[in-house]
Amino acid sequence: MQFGIFTVGDVATDPHTGRTPTEHERIKAMVAIALKAEEVGLDVFATGEHHNPPFVPSSPTTLLGHVAARTERIILSTSTALITTNDPVKIAEDYAMLQHLADGRVDLMMGRGNTGPVYPWFGKDVRDGINLAIENYALLRRLWREDVVNWEGKFRTPLQGFTSTPRPLDGVAPFVWHGSIRSPEIAEQAAYYGDGFFHNNIFWPKEHTGKLIDLYRERYAHYGHGTPEQAVVGLGGQVYMRHNSQDAVREFRPVFDHSPVMGGGISMEEYMRQTPLTVGTPDQVIEKTLSFRTYAGDYQRQLFVVDGGGIPLKTALEQIDMLGEEVVPVLREEFARNRPADVPDAPTHASLLAAHEAERAATAAPAV
């Protein structure tokens, strides 16, 4: 099972000090978080994509390319890449280039994003969001899998004899997770292709999350990719830890109260009961995270937010240290316990390449 960090890259005021980092500081902080995640042995670093204040990660491939040059092992991903407002041709080119630079340590989470105004900024209509996600991804798959593409659709100009360059590393496209928090159509799309489904459930109750994951698993099996239990699922999470739980609650409560998403409604304690947010000790984070399996099944990827809402870099790095030293080693052991042998690991470039080579060998083998 993979564990990692994802960030949305918000520029927010620290409610304890009243200080707001500059965009430069926030971008550098995201790099520092990625490097710390590798240092402590986590598996994945993922960045969001946003094109509006107060967010800074408007160019995920630039950030991830920089991180790739400074790391050796960690998988670089997105949370999410906007399949709706980006041209699929440019996505194919940019992420294949990143895949080469990172020696295959790349996958993508595709999504529609959570900011409606971004659509007209890129010449799109928000009412076409689902249809854009479906058509653009269908084209992206072909661009990565076919050397020459002839294509015509509704939302972009036709392609005639087009070859996307560079070609995917070793002839293997990056693995794709379809990210959604509310859209059954996206769960269906992930199932149809046999791709991964990532439910970024940090703001949603477990009942809602469980229903969407169940739908994806059922449809994954319907399309013949395997059993429902073999579907590839990822989850989000948000943690704030101290070795004394009262210290964690005291420090995080102002962050919660000032959050434009979390604050202003139910109490933080009720919010923690309903969602994956865990504020407390490392042991409490372990207990809460293990409970996700009751509604998500045996899943493949768990990502945590540690830096949103104005949390300073020093504190975010402390959270990653605790994850790497005290939380994730226990989670690895416990999630592996009694895990069925036929439940797959999260795909990597190495595993996808091995499957690709085995398929080629089987196809080339002479009939007996």
Side-chain angles (χ1 to χ4, degrees):
M1 185 167 171
Q2 294 175 345
F3 295 91
I5 299 297
F6 77 101
T7 177
V8 297
D10 57 321
V11 179
T13 300
D14 181 343
H16 292 284
T17 66
R19 185 179 186 280
T20 304
T22 65
E23 290 182 326
H24 177 77
E25 289 171 330
R26 189 67 175 97
I27 292 167
K28 291 290 190 178
M30 292 169 68
V31 174
I33 286 167
L35 300 183
K36 173 62 75 171
E38 170 156 291
E39 176 189 321
V40 303
L42 300 186
D43 305 301
V44 183
F45 170 78
T47 175
E49 178 184 349
H50 294 279
H51 298 274
N52 57 292
F55 304 97
V56 294
S58 57
S59 179
T61 51
T62 304
L63 175 64
L64 295 177
H66 178 73
V67 173
R70 300 183 62 184
T71 56
E72 297 180 354
R73 184 192 54 80
I74 198 162
I75 295 170
L76 307 174
S77 191
T78 54
S79 61
T80 66
L82 300 181
I83 189 61
T84 47
T85 50
N86 284 313
D87 183 351
V89 172
K90 198 69 172 72
I91 295 177
E93 294 174 338
D94 284 352
Y95 285 93
M97 176 69 78
L98 177 62
Q99 187 193 34
H100 281 271
L101 291 172
D103 295 321
R105 295 182 290 124
V106 172
D107 59 34
L108 283 84
M109 188 197 309
M110 299 289 190
R112 292 183 293 138
N114 60 3
T115 309
V118 73
Y119 284 82
W121 297 341
F122 289 87
K124 307 298 181 184
D125 188 326
V126 67
R127 293 170 294 185
D128 294 325
I130 292 290
N131 291 330
L132 279 162
I134 293 170
E135 180 177 296
N136 284 354
Y137 182 61
L139 174 55
L140 175 62
R141 282 183 65 89
R142 290 189 59 188
L143 291 168
W144 274 340
R145 287 163 173 80
E146 300 175 23
D147 289 337
V148 180
V149 173
N150 297 302
W151 178 90
E152 185 171 350
K154 179 179 178 182
F155 297 109
R156 77 173 317 282
T157 53
L159 298 173
Q160 296 295 329
F162 180 78
T163 298
S164 176
T165 60
R167 305 303 297 144
L169 177 64
D170 301 319
V172 176
F175 184 73
V176 169
W177 304 78
H178 299 257
S180 181
I181 55 175
R182 60 187 178 274
S183 302
E185 297 91 342
I186 302 304
E188 178 79 17
Q189 182 184 38
Y192 176 79
Y193 290 110
D195 294 337
F197 180 65
F198 190 95
H199 195 286
N200 187 5
N201 55 328
I202 58 175
F203 304 131
W204 290 80
K206 59 181 178 294
E207 293 81 8
H208 169 85
T209 302
K211 287 179 181 178
L212 211 52
I213 290 173
D214 285 346
L215 171 65
Y216 160 68
R217 289 187 181 279
E218 292 167 7
R219 300 301 289 171
Y220 181 95
H222 169 79
Y223 288 116
H225 302 298
T227 67
E229 294 76 20
Q230 292 172 325
V232 182
V233 173
L235 291 179
Q238 186 168 8
V239 298
Y240 190 91
M241 293 175 286
R242 291 300 182 204
H243 290 106
N244 182 308
S245 62
Q246 292 179 337
D247 290 340
V249 169
R250 175 179 51 80
E251 292 178 20
F252 190 77
R253 192 178 298 280
V255 177
F256 179 90
D257 290 341
H258 286 82
S259 167
V261 178
M262 296 184 291
I266 61 177
S267 69
M268 186 174 80
E269 287 73 15
E270 181 62 26
Y271 195 94
M272 284 195 285
R273 280 190 286 271
Q274 294 190 26
T275 77
L277 174 65
T278 313
V279 180
T281 65
D283 284 343
Q284 287 173 312
V285 169
I286 290 167
E287 180 181 6
K288 180 69 168 286
T289 306
L290 289 173
S291 75
F292 298 169
R293 189 162 48 180
T294 62
Y295 58 87
D298 287 289
Y299 62 109
Q300 284 79 12
R301 176 174 285 186
Q302 174 65 58
L303 302 184
F304 297 102
V305 174
V306 298
D307 67 331
I311 291 174
L313 175 60
K314 177 178 180 294
T315 304
L317 297 180
E318 291 168 350
Q319 301 299 305
I320 297 173
D321 273 328
M322 283 187 277
L323 281 172
E325 295 169 7
E326 303 177 54
V327 174
V328 167
V330 178
L331 290 177
R332 290 193 197 280
E333 182 177 344
E334 292 299 319
F335 273 114
R337 195 186 308 275
N338 299 322
R339 186 182 181 95
D342 61 345
V343 173
D345 293 328
T348 63
H349 182 74
S351 69
L352 294 172
L353 177 58
H356 177 66
E357 291 178 340
E359 182 180 353
R360 281 197 305 182
T363 302
V368 178

